[in-house]
Each structure stands twice: as C-alpha cells, then as structure tokens.
Amino acid sequence: MILQIEIATVRLDELDDLDRLSARVARRAELPAWAEVVGDGHLAVDPAVLAGLAGARGSEPAWRARFDAMLDRARSHGWTTDAGRVRLHVDDSQGSRPGAAT
C-alpha cells in the first residue's frame, strides 16, 4: 500500500498490496496535519486515517482483516509510535524526504 501525497492531492494506492507500507511525497507538497515526520524522515500516520483513505475497501471485512494483520506485523517489528501511529518509509524515487530542503 502506498500513501501518495502530492501538492493538492492525498490518496492511497495499491490497496491490495498489504505486504508493504510506504509513502511518496511530491517535492514541495504540504503534509497534512495528520502526517507527522518522525525519526530520519519517516511519516507516522494513525491507522484509522489510512483505513479512511481506502474508501469503501476500508470497511470490507476481508480487506480489513488483511489490513489489521499488516498493522500487527508493523507493531511486532517496532514500526509504530507510542501513540499508536504506524511509521511509513518514504520512497525517495518519487519525491523527497519530508523536512528535507528542496
């Protein structure tokens, strides 16, 4: 699953790929208030926001079970914050790390 943040658009792509979780941030894009920069340029996002961005898929029981399993794996590998947010790796191939000079 990829959280795509562009200058005027936020969307969730590749909803069926729940084996990875990353973000692509376009250069000069403003981060939404719910996306927090943590660590070395990773983003932390509340899982409820991600499920909401999935639209109708976010309420499908089979998809939601796979999504919850992905979150469990993230927790078991230390990819969550104390506040329960999940950390997303930022894919540099489509933009720049949040907070980096452009």
Side-chain angles (χ1 to χ4, degrees):
M1 185 168 19
I2 300 172
L3 174 64
Q4 186 82 24
I5 301 174
E6 298 175 355
I7 292 175
T9 306
V10 175
R11 68 179 185 271
L12 202 55
D13 292 338
E14 302 182 30
L15 292 172
D16 290 323
D17 186 357
L18 294 169
D19 292 326
R20 66 183 176 135
L21 182 57
S22 62
R24 293 182 181 152
V25 180
R27 294 186 190 279
R28 297 181 302 278
E30 293 290 327
L31 290 177
W34 46 259
E36 175 188 10
V37 177
V38 294
D40 59 348
H42 289 85
L43 291 181
V45 177
D46 186 317
V49 170
L50 294 175
L53 288 170
R57 295 293 302 280
S59 61
E60 292 176 3
W63 185 89
R64 190 56 193 239
R66 292 179 58 225
F67 177 78
D68 290 341
M70 177 190 67
L71 294 175
D72 288 342
R73 284 190 308 276
R75 280 185 207 95
S76 73
H77 288 96
W79 281 89
T80 55
T81 68
D82 291 340
R85 292 177 168 210
V86 64
R87 293 178 60 206
L88 288 77
H89 168 76
V90 177
D91 181 357
D92 286 334
S93 69
Q94 296 296 318
S96 60
R97 290 212 180 267
T102 57

